[in-house]
Amino acid sequence: MRRRAARVVLLDPADRILLLHGFEPADPSTTWWFTPGGGVEEGESLDAAARRELAEETGMTSVELGPVLWERTCSFAFDGRRWEQDEWYYLARTRTTDFDTGGHTELERRSVAGLRWWTCEELLSSRETVYPIRLAGLLRTLLDEGPPQFPIPLGTERD
């Protein structure tokens, strides 16, 4: 099954990015970090999905949603099934660093260990698995050069 997903590169006033710490429900030792976001519901626009997913996963509703930065196709195994999705990564800014996970879905409650703000330097030096796989470098370019004029295609990533 293929789905469309809207993801959010959420930056705080100090240019830190918010990432969720996920794990495979059947094997909690398999972990990774990823941006907020998820599947687009029928009839929903990409930017509406980005806002909804951000609110569900972080409790944040007062964000400045910016342009689409990157586009990616990915394929991965998770929770006993194969996921194929096309993703659009939106830039967003927030003035607050407080988050609330009370809106997590049942699946998120079974597969998200927490959230954390990361500096670009922390991401660049980390040995953790982070998606998209080039996020640290992409973030460094974004902070140095600003958003691209057009979304950058990241290609296809498979696990």
Side-chain angles (χ1 to χ4, degrees):
M1 182 176 106
R2 182 166 222 88
R3 74 176 189 160
R4 297 177 349 132
R7 307 211 67 80
V8 180
V9 176
L10 182 64
L11 302 178
D12 74 357
D15 285 337
R16 296 180 304 168
I17 185 171
L18 185 65
L19 298 178
L20 288 84
H21 193 204
F23 60 91
E24 174 57 50
D27 179 11
S29 68
T30 303
T31 68
W32 58 87
W33 293 89
F34 62 103
T35 61
V40 177
E41 295 177 354
E42 189 166 333
E44 188 176 41
S45 67
L46 285 169
D47 61 327
R51 288 181 184 283
R52 177 185 50 76
E53 286 285 341
L54 189 62
E56 288 173 5
E57 294 178 350
T58 70
M60 295 183 183
T61 56
S62 297
V63 298
E64 298 170 32
L65 192 63
V68 175
L69 302 169
W70 316 308
E71 297 173 357
R72 171 179 94 135
T73 298
C74 60
S75 175
F76 56 95
F78 174 69
D79 196 35
R81 64 182 275 208
R82 189 91 195 147
W83 298 79
E84 307 278 340
Q85 63 188 29
D86 300 312
E87 299 179 334
W88 288 263
Y89 287 79
Y90 282 86
L91 173 61
R93 291 264 181 193
T94 182
R95 297 186 198 287
T96 181
T97 57
D98 296 330
F99 47 81
D100 176 6
T101 59
H104 279 195
T105 65
E106 183 271 334
L107 178 58
E108 289 162 343
R109 286 190 298 275
R110 290 190 301 114
S111 63
V112 174
L115 290 82
R116 176 183 163 196
W117 291 101
W118 291 73
T119 66
C120 187
E121 290 70 27
E122 288 170 332
L123 275 179
L124 286 166
S125 65
S126 176
R127 294 183 188 267
E128 302 267 356
T129 301
V130 179
Y131 295 110
I133 55 176
R134 298 184 319 240
L135 182 60
L138 292 165
L139 181 59
R140 176 78 279 146
T141 300
L142 172 65
L143 295 176
D144 290 346
E145 300 175 11
Q149 186 174 2
F150 301 102
I152 297 170
L154 302 182
T156 300
E157 293 181 11
R158 298 185 185 285
D159 68 351

